[in-house]
Amino acid sequence: MERNRYFVWTVGCQMNVSDSERLESALQGVGYTPAEQAEDADFIVLNSCSVRANAEEKIIGKITDIQRIKRERPDTKIVLWGCMVGPNNQSIFKKKLPMVDHFVSPSAVDEVLALAPNPIYQLDEPALPVADWQVPPVNVHVPINYGCNMSCAYCVIPLRRGKERSRPMEEIAEEVRRICARGAKEITLLGQIVDSYGHDLPGRPDLADLLEYLHETPGLVRLRFLTSHPAFMSEKLLHTIARLPKIMPDINLPIQAGDDQLLKVMKRGYTVAKYTKLIERIREIIPNVSLSTDIIVGHPGETREMFERTLEMVENIRFDKVHIAAYSSRPGTKAADMELDPALAVEHGEKQYRRIALERLQERIATERNEACLGHEVEVLVEEFTKGKWRGRDRNNKLVFFEAAGDWYGKVVNIHVTETRPWWLGGDLIGETLAIGA
């Protein structure tokens, strides 16, 4: 087997994906090459997620699969990385998973890199979150803060990723400059709560300041960010989005439930009325905004009546997209303790009923909202060619497909919308547009 081959396997959120991309870039920078399968690698990294039980089950299943490799080639080094590995549970995993050599906390790219055997080069500068620059990616995700200071009842992230830490603006700006210089067009800023950025830095800059700082980066065409929390969505940030043309009018603002009593149990810190008023203000300041949200169904203590109020809230607000998850118990959280009480636990079948009901409602709403695009022109940044069509996203983050001869990868084009579906638009190419920053 060829030496210095790595295999990185990732589950979870965009933060995990970005961490893995950055690790792959660093590994290639010290002389490693990617392996298509774990069997061909002498350094295997599993980047894990703990947000829901099925994510952890996938990781355990993958570890079970690769323990055969460890038996056949004991020198193969295996690392379990990410949110499953919290600050205080490494000793537990060492007993349960003896085939794993090292356990590393989330986002510690340098720590994982230091474990790679036999590097043949030295990394001269921090790795960018992209491994292969032969074809520059259109969109690159850049973390701007890590961890979380909130204490939502259902969430394990503060236990696994620790307290919130913001990266300095200059460090982020230099990374974005290098990424755009290599050909990327769109940057998505990432954080567990991205709009709380900067409160722990000298001078207390905020997300609006960072967006302003990055806006004039040469080569940058579009800026996005996720995920936000209502408590930190300031007027300053909203006016910055409305004023700066490279910042996309696309906001993800999780509400999690549409019932005040349940929101209090979840420790979200707002009421439905307060959230709705914020949505109205966002639409007032950014009239062309696209809004998405996250909702958990079947949280311990959620009654059918509470769920009906969530349906009513979704009907009233009319989001462009709703990310729906059935509640999954996470050990160590307040909600996990609540679920032990039969009077508060929601039966699995009921969770699925609520999930499907909400999905059907949102599919109707998304269908109606997208139908409003029919006959209009949308500006699309083209990301890939797939199944005979070009695919990209408009400024509101809606998927758009079109057919056209030529190479449109990485171009900003105008599309005349001729077809709409709940989750995508289709249309005809009008031509390339001169995007700001192109």
Side-chain angles (χ1 to χ4, degrees):
M1 184 187 72
E2 182 183 343
R3 299 285 293 172
N4 287 11
R5 299 284 298 277
Y6 72 83
F7 179 81
V8 177
W9 192 80
T10 308
V11 296
C13 65
Q14 285 293 345
M15 186 76 79
N16 274 18
V17 173
S18 178
D19 288 343
S20 290
E21 289 174 343
R22 195 181 301 269
L23 174 63
E24 290 200 52
S25 177
L27 286 167
Q28 291 183 27
V30 296
Y32 273 73
T33 57
E36 291 189 6
Q37 53 189 8
E39 288 79 0
D40 298 328
D42 53 349
F43 186 52
I44 300 172
V45 180
L46 308 178
N47 196 353
S48 64
C49 174
S50 284
V51 173
R52 284 185 280 276
N54 63 345
E56 289 195 356
E57 289 165 3
K58 287 180 181 178
I59 284 287
I60 297 299
K62 192 67 175 178
I63 292 173
T64 302
D65 288 343
I66 66 173
Q67 65 181 339
R68 173 183 53 81
I69 301 171
K70 189 71 171 178
R71 286 196 299 266
E72 295 174 356
R73 293 188 282 106
D75 290 341
T76 303
K77 192 168 284 190
I78 300 173
V79 178
L80 179 60
W81 184 31
C83 288
M84 278 182 69
V85 187
N88 303 313
N89 66 355
Q90 295 190 18
S91 60
I92 298 173
F93 278 114
K94 287 176 182 177
K95 293 179 181 178
K96 287 185 175 181
L97 304 172
M99 74 292 292
V100 176
D101 297 285
H102 300 282
F103 300 86
V104 182
S105 297
S107 299
V109 176
D110 291 343
E111 189 174 339
V112 178
L113 181 64
L115 299 171
N118 309 313
I120 56 178
Y121 305 114
Q122 182 175 350
L123 199 63
D124 295 325
E125 57 185 0
L128 297 173
V130 176
D132 182 5
W133 286 109
Q134 298 302 312
V135 180
V138 173
N139 178 288
V140 176
H141 293 80
V142 174
I144 65 170
N145 57 359
Y146 300 101
C148 182
N149 290 348
M150 306 300 283
S151 55
C152 299
Y154 52 83
C155 186
V156 75
I157 292 297
L159 301 176
R160 300 297 171 84
R161 285 189 175 265
K163 291 292 185 181
E164 193 170 274
R165 293 101 56 208
S166 300
R167 299 175 64 194
M169 289 210 316
E170 295 77 7
E171 179 183 302
I172 297 168
E174 174 60 18
E175 182 170 304
V176 170
R177 185 196 65 76
R178 290 172 58 206
I179 291 170
C180 293
R182 301 281 187 92
K185 306 293 184 184
E186 179 178 282
I187 299 295
T188 301
L189 306 177
L190 297 179
Q192 302 301 147
I193 299 181
V194 72
D195 53 343
S196 71
Y197 169 81
H199 64 86
D200 54 332
L201 295 175
R204 296 177 67 86
D206 57 21
L207 179 58
D209 296 325
L210 179 61
L211 291 169
E212 186 106 37
Y213 195 50
L214 299 177
H215 189 265
E216 299 308 315
T217 304
L220 178 65
V221 174
R222 290 181 171 183
L223 261 174
R224 301 184 191 271
F225 59 89
L226 56 90
T227 294
S228 304
H229 190 289
F232 304 99
M233 185 61 58
S234 67
E235 291 262 325
K236 177 183 175 182
L237 177 58
L238 296 177
H239 283 289
T240 300
I241 297 168
R243 178 171 53 84
L244 297 179
K246 292 183 186 179
I247 306 175
M248 296 298 97
D250 165 36
I251 296 175
N252 175 252
L253 196 64
I255 187 170
Q256 305 299 2
D259 176 84
D260 286 345
Q261 183 180 343
L262 186 57
L263 287 172
K264 187 174 182 179
V265 169
M266 288 179 161
K267 302 180 71 173
R268 291 294 290 173
Y270 51 79
T271 62
V272 173
K274 185 175 181 180
Y275 181 93
T276 303
K277 186 175 181 180
L278 175 58
I279 293 294
E280 291 171 354
R281 186 60 177 152
I282 291 172
R283 285 174 166 160
E284 180 182 342
I285 296 172
I286 315 168
N288 61 333
V289 72
S290 173
L291 288 166
S292 61
T293 197
D294 299 354
I295 292 177
I296 297 171
V297 298
H299 188 282
E302 183 188 54
T303 65
R304 179 68 73 88
E305 291 73 22
M306 290 175 177
F307 173 68
E308 294 291 340
R309 283 190 277 275
T310 294
L311 292 177
E312 181 181 356
M313 178 272 301
V314 170
E315 182 75 78
N316 290 337
I317 291 179
R318 296 178 63 80
F319 297 98
D320 293 87
K321 187 181 296 183
V322 177
H323 307 285
I324 305 164
Y327 171 76
S328 176
S329 179
R330 301 286 74 215
T333 63
K334 179 182 177 183
D337 293 336
M338 292 176 61
E339 196 174 44
L340 297 176
D341 183 346
L344 298 176
V346 179
E347 189 266 337
H348 174 77
E350 178 66 16
K351 289 180 186 178
Q352 299 313 309
Y353 164 81
R354 297 178 191 181
R355 177 183 60 80
I356 292 169
L358 185 53
E359 285 176 348
R360 287 175 176 169
L361 170 61
Q362 181 55 32
E363 182 173 2
R364 175 176 62 78
I365 293 170
T367 298
E368 294 167 356
R369 291 188 67 81
N370 280 356
E371 283 174 348
C373 299
L374 193 64
H376 291 264
E377 292 182 18
V378 292
E379 183 188 275
V380 176
L381 176 57
V382 184
E383 297 178 350
E384 67 173 342
F385 186 75
T386 177
K387 298 180 180 179
K389 294 184 178 182
W390 292 101
R391 182 188 76 90
R393 287 174 298 144
D394 72 358
R395 293 176 62 84
N396 291 126
N397 211 24
K398 296 181 188 291
L399 283 174
V400 182
F401 294 88
F402 67 95
E403 296 182 47
D407 184 5
W408 297 99
Y409 181 79
K411 304 281 180 56
V412 180
V413 299
N414 285 328
I415 299 296
H416 177 74
V417 178
T418 60
E419 183 180 10
T420 66
R421 292 291 186 272
W423 319 125
W424 55 269
L425 309 175
D428 299 326
L429 175 68
I430 298 173
E432 185 174 2
T433 183
L434 183 61
I436 298 170

